[in-house]
């Protein structure tokens, strides 16, 4: 098996571009969902090549099972306890006990990414509220912080791949995290939206339709 010539030239050009700017290539050992996501997180990946192929692989290999959303969110929150403690951020969780069929690992990635952003852009002694709302046609899970918020331009592009948003922050923007969240949510036929006001905070809402 070999790459077409134009792919080879593209790969070589990308290599020299990354080398010039002091970036590093990271190759995947396999294309399983866990490997893709753990590699992105561990190496703080900023750009993905062959993105459609990766998402197609995730869609084909996704393993769905019984998942209690409240327990999944609480477990993910505990994983980030030290980061919240460092900034003295208070977290209030008020969730209904909702059961769905989903990928435990992929959905955990969504919660961790959303919470990471809430922690990153919330000042010391801030607050993060996580709560659920039962609707006629589904369930709404909300992550609300009282951090720095976003302007209209950032909100418009918040789920775009590689969009950096607020690069004045020492953590240098959003990167791939929220675009991955959106892809994972869409793989489950759920919806994710964001509301935000500059200087007042941000709320991420995940809507899960009821099983018919």
């Amino acid at each position: 098996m070999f790459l077409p010539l134009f792919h080879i030239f593209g790969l070589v050009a990308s290599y020299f571009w990354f080398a010039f700017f002091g970036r590093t290539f990271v190759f995947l050992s396999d294309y399983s969902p866990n490997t893709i996501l753990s590699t992105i997180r561990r190496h703080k990946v900023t750009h993905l090549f062959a993105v459609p192929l990766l998402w197609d692989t995730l869609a084909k290999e996704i393993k769905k099972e019984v998942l209690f959303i409240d327990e999944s969110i609480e477990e993910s929150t505990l994983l980030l306890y030290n980061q919240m403690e460092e900034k003295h951020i208070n977290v209030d969780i008020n969730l209904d006990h909702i059961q769905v069929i989903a990928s435990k690992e992929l959905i955990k990635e969504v919660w961790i990414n959303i919470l990471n952003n809430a922690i990153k852009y919330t000042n010391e002694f801030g607050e993060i509220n996580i709560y659920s709302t039962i609707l006629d046609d589904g369930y709404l899970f909300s992550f609300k912080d009282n951090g720095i918020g976003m302007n209209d331009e950032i909100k418009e592009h918040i789920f775009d791949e590689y969009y950096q948003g607020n690069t004045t922050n020492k953590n240098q923007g959003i990167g791939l995290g929220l675009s991955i969240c959106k892809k994972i949510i869409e793989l489950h036929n759920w919806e994710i939206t964001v509301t935000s006001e500059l200087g007042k905070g941000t709320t991420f809402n995940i809507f899960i339709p009821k099983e018919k």
Side-chain angles (χ1 to χ4, degrees), residues 94-204:
N94 185 15
L95 297 169
D96 294 288
H97 193 51
I98 304 298
Q99 176 183 306
V100 300
I101 302 298
S103 166
K104 290 183 178 180
E105 286 302 314
L106 294 184
I107 293 304
K108 183 173 73 173
E109 190 72 22
V110 172
W111 310 144
I112 289 174
N113 268 290
I114 291 175
L115 286 167
N116 261 324
N117 273 280
I119 296 168
K120 185 189 298 183
Y121 296 111
T122 297
N123 295 322
E124 288 192 7
F125 301 98
E127 291 187 359
I128 298 173
N129 293 285
I130 308 170
Y131 55 93
S132 59
T133 306
I134 298 178
L135 307 172
D136 291 338
D137 57 344
Y139 313 100
L140 191 67
F141 291 86
S142 303
F143 296 74
K144 181 180 181 180
D145 66 62
N146 64 345
I148 64 175
M150 293 181 274
N151 59 32
D152 290 339
E153 180 187 355
I154 294 177
K155 279 189 289 185
E156 184 179 352
H157 298 285
I158 193 73
F159 297 113
D160 292 353
E161 291 168 6
Y162 318 132
Y163 184 71
Q164 290 298 294
N166 177 24
T167 55
T168 60
N169 185 276
K170 66 181 181 179
N171 292 290
Q172 288 300 303
I174 297 156
L176 282 168
L178 291 176
S179 68
I180 288 175
C181 286
K182 185 174 174 62
K183 292 290 186 182
I184 292 172
I185 290 296
E186 289 173 347
L187 286 176
H188 287 79
N189 296 315
W190 300 353
E191 297 175 16
I192 182 169
T193 56
V194 61
T195 59
S196 186
E197 189 173 348
L198 199 59
K200 293 190 176 181
T202 298
T203 302
F204 283 93

Side-chain angles (χ1 to χ4, degrees), residues 1-4 7-8 31 53:
M1 181 176 181
F2 61 91
L3 285 171
H7 281 174
I8 295 173
Y31 291 102
L53 172 64

